[in-house]
Amino acid sequence: MPRHLISKLEQFTRLSVSDKQALETAAGEKRRRIGPREDIIREGDDPAFVNLILDGWACRYKQLEDGRRQIISFFLPGDLCDTHIYVLREMDHSIGALTPVTYAEISRETLARVTAEHPRITQALWWDTLVAAAIQREWTVNLGQRTAAERLGHLLCEIFIRLRGVGLTEGHSCVLPVTQADLGDAMGLSNVHINRTLQELRGSGLIVLKGRQLTIPSLAALQAASLFNPNYLHLDRVGRHLDANDQAGDGTD
Amino acid sequence: MPRHLISKLEQFTRLSVSDKQALETAAGEKRRRIGPREDIIREGDDPAFVNLILDGWACRYKQLEDGRRQIISFFLPGDLCDTHIYVLREMDHSIGALTPVTYAEISRETLARVTAEHPRITQALWWDTLVAAAIQREWTVNLGQRTAAERLGHLLCEIFIRLRGVGLTEGHSCVLPVTQADLGDAMGLSNVHINRTLQELRGSGLIVLKGRQLTIPSLAALQAASLFNPNYLHLDRVGRHLDANDQAGDGTD
DNA sequence: CGACGTTTTGAAGCTGATCAATCTTTGTGG
DNA sequence: CCACAAAGATTGATCAGCTTCAAAACGTCG
């Protein structure tokens, strides 16, 4: 069932049948389901598990004393929250659902066992962690330098490509199941301005957005308009040399 | 000589004499010195080493096609660039010096050896990595939600506390060796507005800034004004239980 | 149908950007 | 030790992008 995670990791390296089974087992241990606006974990809590999003969208966020909320990152299906979080004593931010979410709680011990026995998974999780850090850096650039239209366009490019990596796009389309207010909290813009900026992107034909269905007629055009350079997602199959080949037939499915 | 790194890590766990010697040796292998505005590594380069800043200030940054520059994070003495960066094939950002900088290049092999032989160092580096990620997240909040004055005040709190952790403060003062334009590139503000915001902070008595000498008369007051919550720096000695105690006298110096 | 959440629109106001000039500091060479 | 150059800090004036507030339209679901 953690097929999205597997798809994602296979962008980096090919996994053997046994690798996939190990992930399967780990993700099956403890499964939970929550509704939108519910929290998976809160600032101040002791992080006991690594959470794996199986379905739905969640986010990291932080709320200032006066109510301002910043969404720090989006969690899409297949995303894993910090694999070493248990080194720290308490959460410095919260993780909450934006849509109905199904996720797996993976214990520290399980994760340790899986990585000890499956070096390719270890490598792939490293890659995933580094890409997550790169995305966070890119958001810094996004918030610091880009205009509203560039910023939003950039986000949509990123989301589309990430969803494609986990098999959740269809042609030029994908879902965008969050409210405009959520997008605003993520981009540091008011919901009103998000609305106007979306209209601007629609007006210039860069996106088609009907309800929760997003279509990007030309990803290249949206990328160009948003100064989007996909290099930070590191989709260049760096880990080719780690492709599983220890058993005939492995990794071909 | 990597005394700043050692100071920093000892905020998390106590290190034995042998731990410190290992860091000493690793940091001594290859030392380099560069001037301000020179790069340590550039976007597109193949990351061969982990860089340890021994002296001076550097930064991660990214430059957009049209020249806009965002400083993504500051590297202070004792800071280590991503310890697992070699998993990726090429840098998605650059690292450059803001002042004259001395740094050590640590090879992948050396780092692997040190961590294999020194579990406390491994743990401490994990803590360091997670704190670095938390800082990046906090910058996202900073850029997305805080006003110019809050943003700048927040940054100054963070820098002061980080410098204090590596023994580079004196009483309520520390150096601030970067230009206002650099601060602007880091905070997503124009240099003009940085200037005016600094004057505002000076005017309200929250900071004293003469040349490159920064004094924060009341850190608590600046924190309050900037909505600064230090929890994300995880300075609560989480790793107490890992304190080195395998040899009498260890860790007490 | 009615209610609630979400999107859309309009108008007014503020924060911070831009541009351009001046002042100050630092560093360098004579 | 002074003169000069270059970098950085400061100031003023104008402008643009985005926020805020408020209301209306739209959708969706019990």
Side-chain angles (χ1 to χ4, degrees):
Chain A
M1 262 295 272
R3 64 177 189 284
H4 299 122
L5 174 61
I6 290 171
S7 298
K8 184 168 65 158
L9 297 184
E10 287 202 312
Q11 293 179 108
F12 171 74
T13 190
R14 220 165 287 152
L15 300 173
S16 71
V17 169
S18 121
D19 289 337
K20 292 181 196 176
Q21 274 168 350
L23 289 173
E24 200 93 28
T25 308
E29 273 187 0
K30 182 77 187 179
R31 192 156 297 188
R32 292 189 177 276
R33 172 180 288 276
I34 57 173
R37 291 168 210 285
E38 287 185 63
D39 284 327
I40 293 178
I41 188 167
R42 283 214 182 77
E43 184 168 348
D45 286 356
D46 177 24
F49 299 101
V50 173
N51 297 299
L52 167 62
I53 307 297
L54 297 170
D55 208 69
W57 287 31
C59 70
R60 284 185 214 274
Y61 70 92
K62 225 160 167 168
Q63 193 116 21
L64 300 187
E65 306 147 29
D66 62 3
R68 281 176 273 176
R69 177 178 80 143
Q70 176 68 36
I71 289 181
I72 296 167
S73 50
F74 285 118
F75 287 117
L76 311 181
D79 280 343
L80 207 53
C81 316
D82 327 61
T83 46
H84 281 74
I85 195 65
Y86 52 77
V87 171
L88 302 179
R89 198 169 55 181
E90 68 173 50
M91 292 292 289
D92 55 45
H93 62 274
S94 304
I95 298 180
L98 295 169
T99 70
V101 163
T102 309
Y103 66 100
E105 285 179 340
I106 305 178
S107 70
R108 176 181 176 163
E109 294 71 29
T110 301
L111 196 63
R113 184 159 23 79
V114 170
T115 53
E117 293 169 5
H118 300 268
R120 268 184 307 268
I121 292 182
T122 310
Q123 280 289 108
L125 289 182
W126 263 113
W127 168 79
D128 187 55
T129 298
L130 291 169
V131 170
I135 290 173
Q136 199 65 59
R137 288 193 296 265
E138 192 65 31
W139 277 44
T140 303
V141 178
N142 217 12
L143 291 170
Q145 299 299 328
R146 283 185 253 260
T147 65
E150 290 165 352
R151 207 182 290 184
L152 198 45
H154 192 282
L155 177 69
L156 297 179
C157 288
E158 178 184 299
I159 286 176
F160 184 84
I161 294 175
R162 286 171 62 189
L163 286 176
R164 194 171 58 188
V166 294
L168 288 172
T169 54
E170 283 190 31
H172 293 189
S173 301
C174 66
V175 291
L176 187 68
V178 297
T179 67
Q180 295 184 3
D182 289 332
L183 291 175
D185 285 348
M187 297 287 93
L189 297 167
S190 67
N191 57 345
V192 173
H193 202 61
I194 288 286
N195 184 279
R196 291 180 170 132
T197 306
L198 283 172
Q199 289 179 48
E200 185 186 333
L201 293 177
R202 275 193 276 235
S204 47
L206 290 169
I207 65 169
V208 179
L209 183 59
K210 285 198 197 99
R212 326 239 98 161
Q213 175 87 355
L214 169 70
T215 303
I216 303 177
S218 163
L219 187 56
L222 186 58
Q223 289 188 5
S226 312
L227 302 176
F228 181 93
N229 179 338
N231 67 348
Y232 72 100
L233 296 171
H234 296 279
L235 297 175
D236 40 12
R237 296 270 296 142
V238 196
R240 277 183 240 68
H241 61 289
L242 293 166
D243 282 0
N245 56 3
D246 49 350
Q247 298 183 325
D250 262 0
T252 47
D253 156 24
Chain B
M1 262 298 270
R3 64 177 189 284
H4 299 121
L5 173 62
I6 290 171
S7 297
K8 185 168 65 159
L9 297 185
E10 288 204 309
Q11 293 180 108
F12 170 74
T13 190
R14 219 165 286 153
L15 300 173
S16 72
V17 169
S18 120
D19 290 336
K20 293 181 197 176
Q21 273 168 349
L23 289 173
E24 200 93 27
T25 308
E29 272 185 2
K30 182 78 187 179
R31 191 155 299 186
R32 292 188 178 278
R33 172 180 288 276
I34 58 173
R37 290 166 211 286
E38 287 185 63
D39 284 329
I40 293 178
I41 187 167
R42 283 212 183 79
E43 185 167 348
D45 287 356
D46 176 25
F49 299 101
V50 173
N51 297 299
L52 167 62
I53 307 297
L54 297 170
D55 208 70
W57 287 32
C59 69
R60 283 185 216 275
Y61 70 93
K62 226 160 167 168
Q63 193 117 22
L64 300 187
E65 306 148 30
D66 62 3
R68 281 175 274 175
R69 176 178 81 143
Q70 176 69 34
I71 290 181
I72 297 166
S73 50
F74 285 118
F75 287 118
L76 311 182
D79 280 343
L80 207 53
C81 316
D82 325 63
T83 46
H84 281 72
I85 195 65
Y86 53 78
V87 171
L88 303 179
R89 200 170 54 180
E90 68 173 51
M91 292 292 289
D92 56 45
H93 62 275
S94 303
I95 298 179
L98 295 169
T99 69
V101 165
T102 309
Y103 66 100
E105 284 179 341
I106 305 179
S107 69
R108 175 180 178 166
E109 295 71 31
T110 301
L111 196 63
R113 184 159 22 80
V114 170
T115 53
E117 293 169 4
H118 300 268
R120 270 184 307 269
I121 292 182
T122 309
Q123 280 289 108
L125 290 182
W126 262 111
W127 169 79
D128 187 54
T129 298
L130 291 169
V131 170
I135 290 174
Q136 199 67 58
R137 290 193 295 266
E138 192 64 31
W139 278 44
T140 303
V141 178
N142 217 11
L143 291 170
Q145 298 299 328
R146 283 184 252 259
T147 66
E150 290 165 354
R151 207 182 289 184
L152 198 45
H154 192 282
L155 176 69
L156 297 179
C157 287
E158 178 185 299
I159 285 177
F160 184 85
I161 293 174
R162 285 171 64 190
L163 286 176
R164 193 171 58 188
V166 295
L168 288 173
T169 53
E170 284 190 32
H172 294 192
S173 301
C174 66
V175 291
L176 188 69
V178 297
T179 67
Q180 295 184 2
D182 289 333
L183 292 174
D185 285 348
M187 296 289 93
L189 297 166
S190 67
N191 57 347
V192 173
H193 203 62
I194 288 286
N195 184 280
R196 290 179 170 132
T197 306
L198 283 172
Q199 289 178 49
E200 186 186 333
L201 292 177
R202 275 192 277 235
S204 47
L206 290 169
I207 66 168
V208 179
L209 183 59
K210 285 199 197 99
R212 328 237 95 161
Q213 176 86 356
L214 169 70
T215 303
I216 303 176
S218 163
L219 187 57
L222 187 59
Q223 289 188 4
S226 312
L227 302 176
F228 181 94
N229 179 338
N231 66 347
Y232 73 100
L233 296 171
H234 296 279
L235 295 176
D236 41 11
R237 297 270 296 143
V238 195
R240 277 184 241 66
H241 60 290
L242 293 165
D243 283 359
N245 56 3
D246 49 352
Q247 297 183 328
D250 265 359
T252 46
D253 157 19

